[in-house]
Amino acid sequence: MKISFIIRCLNGAKIIENSVKLLTKKLRKINIKQYELILIDDGSKDETSKIVKKIKNKNIKLIKNKINLGKSSSLIRGIKKSKYKNIIIWDCDLPYFECIEKVIYNLKTNHLVYINRRSKKSRLKKKNMNFYQKCRYYIGSIVCSVLDILLLDKDTGDTQAGLKGFKKSKNFNQIKFLSKKFFFDAELMILFFRSSCKM
C-alpha cells in the first residue's frame, strides 16, 4: 500500500523529530515501504522547519507557510502536493498512535476511515484528561452533535479527532473547500457521506 501522510505542525520543535521516528519505525514494523511524510510548518515561531530539514529521511517533504494559514488550509495544501491516492491526515503529536495499523488496514476496503472518540468502546472516555484536553473533547462533542443533526446521519462519528484516512479523488484539487482555519475534517466527512462512500 502506498500512503501519503499529511501532518500539520505548529510550533512542534519539541516533538516533531520524535514523532517522525515513531511513525517511520511503525511503518517498517507493519511493512509499509512506499510512503511520504508531508510535514506542513504552519507559520511556527520556533525551530520546527530547521529540525525537519535535519531529519535524514528521503520520504519527508517540508512545506513551510510564511504565516499561519490555519489547520484546514495547511492540510488542503499538503494533500494537493501528495502523490499517493491513500491519504492519512494526522496531528503532529500523533494522537491515537495505537490505532494507525487499524486505520491503514481499514483504508483498503473503505473510502474514509476515522477515529471516533465518542464511541462507547473509546478508551479516551476512561483516560484522565487535563483541562485543555477536556475542553477540546467537549467542544468537539458539541460540534459533532450539531453536524450529525444538520448534515450527517445520526451518530455518524467524530468529525474532530486528529487521525483520518481517505482515498483521494482524481478531482480533489478542483474541490472548493469552505474551511480555511478549522473544520476541514468535518467538511471532508460531509463530502464523503453525501457521495454515499463507504465510511
Side-chain angles (χ1 to χ4, degrees):
M1 188 179 227
K2 301 173 184 178
I3 308 172
S4 294
F5 291 87
I6 316 297
I7 302 171
R8 181 247 190 178
C9 312
L10 178 61
N11 299 323
K14 291 180 180 176
I15 60 170
I16 192 59
E17 188 172 9
N18 190 51
S19 291
V20 168
K21 282 180 184 173
L22 274 173
L23 179 52
T24 52
K25 185 178 177 183
K26 183 69 171 180
L27 294 176
R28 277 195 303 273
K29 187 177 177 183
I30 60 175
N31 207 27
I32 300 293
K33 294 176 180 170
Q34 289 187 286
Y35 68 91
E36 61 180 350
L37 305 178
I38 300 180
L39 304 172
I40 304 104
D41 180 352
D42 191 15
S44 295
K45 302 292 184 198
D46 63 10
E47 304 288 306
T48 298
S49 285
K50 285 184 181 177
I51 291 169
V52 170
K53 286 176 185 175
K54 289 179 183 176
I55 299 171
K56 291 182 170 81
N57 185 326
K58 62 181 172 88
N59 298 310
I60 290 178
K61 291 180 182 174
L62 174 65
I63 297 173
K64 183 165 173 49
N65 297 339
K66 290 180 182 177
I67 59 167
N68 179 272
L69 298 178
K71 183 178 179 181
S72 295
S73 294
S74 295
L75 291 175
I76 292 165
R77 190 172 180 209
I79 294 164
K80 285 183 175 182
K81 299 270 186 189
S82 65
K83 64 181 178 181
Y84 298 129
K85 181 180 180 179
N86 296 300
I87 304 290
I88 292 181
I89 57 175
W90 214 349
D91 290 346
C92 183
D93 58 346
L94 306 185
Y96 328 112
F97 187 77
E98 69 281 0
C99 299
I100 187 59
E101 194 169 352
K102 194 178 279 190
V103 170
I104 291 169
Y105 175 79
N106 282 289
L107 195 52
K108 293 175 182 177
T109 54
N110 292 277
H111 296 97
L112 175 70
V113 180
Y114 55 92
I115 297 302
N116 187 357
R117 298 168 296 179
R118 299 189 308 160
S119 166
K120 289 175 184 172
K121 296 176 186 175
S122 175
R123 281 180 277 172
L124 184 69
K125 291 196 172 189
K126 297 171 188 165
K127 182 181 164 187
N128 289 331
M129 295 185 281
N130 63 35
F131 179 74
Y132 172 74
Q133 289 170 321
K134 286 179 183 176
C135 288
R136 271 192 69 184
Y137 175 77
Y138 289 115
I139 291 168
S141 292
I142 292 165
V143 170
C144 292
S145 296
V146 170
L147 289 171
D148 277 347
I149 292 164
L150 298 177
L151 300 167
L152 298 165
D153 253 357
K154 186 181 176 191
D155 200 31
T156 295
D158 188 350
T159 61
Q160 302 306 301
L163 174 58
K164 289 179 182 64
F166 67 96
K167 305 275 186 200
K168 182 172 76 169
S169 63
K170 290 179 183 175
N171 71 332
F172 183 88
N173 289 3
Q174 282 73 52
I175 299 171
K176 302 291 183 203
F177 289 97
L178 299 173
S179 311
K180 301 297 179 217
K181 292 281 185 184
F182 308 106
F183 305 118
F184 167 70
D185 308 56
E187 196 172 349
L188 191 66
M189 287 181 77
I190 292 164
L191 185 74
F192 276 91
F193 176 73
R194 287 184 173 169
S195 302
S196 300
C197 290
K198 197 172 175 188
M199 298 166 62

